[in-house]
Amino acid sequence: MTTGLDRCACKRGFFTLRDCDRPATTACDLCSRRVCDEHLAPRVQARVCVECAARQAEEATTPSEPPTGAPVVHRGGHGPEAVVDPEQATVRTARYRRRYYDDHGYEPMWWASHDSYWAGDGYRWHDDDDFDDDDGGGFGDS
Amino acid sequence: MTSVRESLRMLSSEHRDVLRTKLVDDRRPAAEWHALLAPLHDLDVRADAARSRAGKQLLWLYVAGIALILASLFVAPIAALALLVLFAIPIVALHLQRGRLKRLDLADAALGLALPLLPLLAEDAADDAPLELALDLRGPTVDAKRTGEGEPYARGAYHRIVDTFFADPFLHARIRFADGAHVRLAVVEHVRRSRKVKRNPRGKTKIKVKSKRRIQLDVSVAFPARNYVAVAAPTGALPPTDRERVTVRDGATVVAERRVVKSAGAGGAIDSGHLVDLLARAYGRVEPVRRKKL
């Protein structure tokens, strides 16, 4: 595990989420979190992290629930698109991750330190009242 | 064809080896797999488009050629001969071009399923863990994948139907995730190709060849007991899969999920969302047993 204060705040992973832990190089204009170069979305006049870019992109698209409010039942047909340019892989994956969580109600396993940015999102973690919090963020390395 | 030539020029010797053998079997980081497969996918898309264009041009040349030659036969037979030569040259050239492009063709199912998944697997992969990947890009109906032929039978207007069966295990992958989970993916395409023969009322024999495919997608995830425990009921809103098995062995909870997709035709693209769903469903069958920053 890498130690240090100025680390990227974005989360790595799709089925599970963990800290990026790469050295941060800048701050996101929207969420103010410190992020690394890899988790910076390609924008011309702003510095936006891939997680904020994904949220913005998904909020701008039409919701995928029908007007009746019935949940959408997916049986495939919603996979990620093939990314030919490797530089686009991180930003495209972050967007697909956001869409997949929203559309399928998938709650990833949380193996990262506490992050209020994700407070409104569903994720799964070990919730034990007797747990001895020795990591300052709720995730002790036992 | 120009864009296909440009794509071909960009390929390394390793890419050309894959194009020649149409088989891939190696261990390397998911990002490196992406660098290998993305240019091949790009070439395949361009080659498919060029082949389709050439097919349409051929159709027009045949129709226009036959019409003009027949019309000119009544006016000046020598002109018909000249037209025959005039149309024959581009027709032969286009057939040769389609043949060259056909040799570049890679199975859409294998490449289309693997390539979109690579960035996702790279996200969850342990830092030092390579992705073991075996891809068969030859397509499902090559002779080597033929598993048998049924006895001829009759049905409806068809007096002779012969079914040929193929099994194509075109994708197999293994990777260790950062949370210690060992993930295995396997996809097999089963094809039944039916050659049907009938005779119409005018006594003409008509032959039709139809294919049906059944794609079996299997995902198995071994969750380490130090991080996960099985739950009685799956969490999340994902629909059930066609088969689900949860077993505990060797200090791990092993969740096996299967989905079967049926469609007409053979070798077409398959949505990688099926494998994402199966993996998500497997993660829905366990819960974390401790808090730890990975």
Side-chain angles (χ1 to χ4, degrees):
Chain A
M1 189 177 76
T2 318
T3 56
L5 292 175
D6 198 16
R7 296 285 160 189
C8 176
C10 283
K11 300 293 170 275
R12 291 170 71 190
F14 186 91
F15 301 103
T16 71
L17 294 175
R18 65 190 191 282
D19 291 334
C20 167
D21 257 355
R22 288 194 192 92
T25 54
T26 188
C28 172
D29 287 347
L30 296 176
C31 66
S32 305
R33 293 183 305 164
R34 298 280 294 161
V35 292
C36 66
D37 288 339
E38 192 180 319
H39 283 114
L40 203 58
R43 296 276 173 94
V44 180
Q45 290 180 323
R47 287 162 191 249
V48 178
C49 70
V50 292
E51 291 175 2
C52 285
R55 281 184 189 218
Q56 277 188 328
E58 288 309 303
E59 280 164 13
T61 54
T62 317
S64 57
E65 287 205 348
T68 57
V72 179
V73 177
H74 294 291
R75 192 181 158 81
H78 300 271
E81 292 170 16
V83 184
V84 174
D85 181 3
E87 289 183 3
Q88 289 284 316
T90 307
V91 67
R92 296 273 289 273
T93 304
R95 183 172 176 186
Y96 179 70
R97 182 174 74 181
R98 167 60 45 195
R99 188 165 76 235
Y100 192 84
Y101 292 175
D102 289 347
D103 285 358
H104 294 72
Y106 177 71
E107 296 186 342
M109 301 289 180
W110 186 266
W111 294 107
S113 48
H114 174 74
D115 188 347
S116 56
Y117 181 84
W118 283 81
D121 297 293
Y123 50 80
R124 288 173 287 160
W125 59 309
H126 184 63
D127 191 12
D128 184 356
D129 291 340
D130 298 330
F131 179 74
D132 181 21
D133 185 345
D134 64 351
D135 199 29
F139 290 84
D141 194 352
S142 51
Chain B
M1 192 66 188
T2 315
S3 64
V4 176
R5 280 201 200 100
E6 281 169 11
S7 289
L8 265 174
R9 263 200 295 272
M10 307 274 281
L11 298 184
S12 66
S13 58
E14 190 179 21
H15 288 122
R16 289 170 195 277
D17 282 347
V18 176
L19 265 185
R20 189 172 44 79
T21 61
K22 299 190 179 180
L23 293 170
V24 169
D25 191 354
D26 202 0
R27 287 159 56 99
R28 59 180 77 186
E32 283 184 27
W33 276 116
H34 191 270
L36 176 71
L37 297 179
L40 292 172
H41 175 70
D42 182 53
L43 172 71
D44 187 51
V45 169
R46 288 168 194 262
D48 283 351
R51 202 149 54 98
S52 169
R53 271 198 307 276
K56 284 175 189 161
Q57 287 166 353
L58 267 175
L59 182 70
W60 279 107
L61 279 171
Y62 274 119
V63 170
I66 290 167
L68 282 172
I69 289 165
L70 284 178
S72 61
L73 272 176
F74 295 104
V75 184
I78 191 72
L81 194 66
L83 280 170
L84 186 69
V85 174
L86 205 66
F87 276 95
I89 293 168
I91 283 174
V92 170
L94 279 171
H95 274 295
L96 289 174
Q97 183 185 328
R98 270 171 65 84
R100 279 196 298 271
L101 291 167
K102 179 75 183 160
R103 281 195 291 276
L104 296 176
D105 190 38
L106 299 171
D108 293 339
L111 215 48
L113 201 59
L115 192 60
L117 271 185
L118 291 173
L120 267 65
L121 296 177
E123 279 286 316
D124 278 312
D127 286 340
D128 57 341
L131 166 67
E132 288 179 38
L133 181 65
L135 286 177
D136 188 330
L137 303 167
R138 294 176 294 173
T141 52
V142 294
D143 283 344
K145 296 173 185 175
R146 210 167 98 158
T147 54
E149 192 170 277
E151 290 293 315
Y153 61 96
R155 181 176 292 164
Y158 295 97
H159 63 268
R160 183 183 165 85
I161 304 174
V162 178
D163 293 334
T164 310
F165 300 94
F166 300 87
D168 178 19
F170 64 80
L171 184 148
H172 189 268
R174 285 158 64 109
I175 191 165
R176 181 168 53 83
F177 279 177
D179 60 353
H182 287 265
V183 175
R184 192 183 67 84
L185 313 171
V187 184
V188 184
E189 178 170 352
H190 298 274
V191 177
R192 185 186 72 191
R193 190 171 64 191
S194 303
R195 187 176 183 276
K196 304 173 173 187
V197 185
K198 73 174 178 183
R199 192 160 289 144
N200 70 11
R202 295 186 300 281
K204 228 175 170 184
T205 300
K206 297 268 185 185
I207 299 171
K208 192 185 273 186
V209 178
K210 284 205 160 188
S211 296
K212 281 192 173 176
R213 61 180 345 203
R214 188 172 67 89
I215 301 122
Q216 182 178 306
L217 304 106
D218 283 294
V219 165
S220 162
V221 187
F223 296 97
R226 69 177 186 279
N227 286 342
Y228 295 105
V229 66
V231 290
T235 53
L238 284 161
T241 52
D242 294 315
R243 196 181 77 177
E244 184 172 71
R245 282 185 185 162
V246 182
T247 51
V248 178
R249 63 168 187 251
D250 302 332
T253 300
V254 182
V255 181
E257 303 279 355
R258 172 175 291 174
R259 181 174 281 177
V260 176
V261 180
K262 293 177 183 174
S263 71
I270 304 161
D271 186 3
S272 53
H274 292 299
L275 287 174
V276 180
D277 287 352
L278 293 175
L279 274 165
R281 177 83 185 181
Y283 267 93
R285 293 309 312 262
V286 292
E287 65 179 19
V289 288
R290 65 171 177 167
R291 288 185 218 172
K292 184 178 183 297
K293 187 171 171 292
L294 292 178

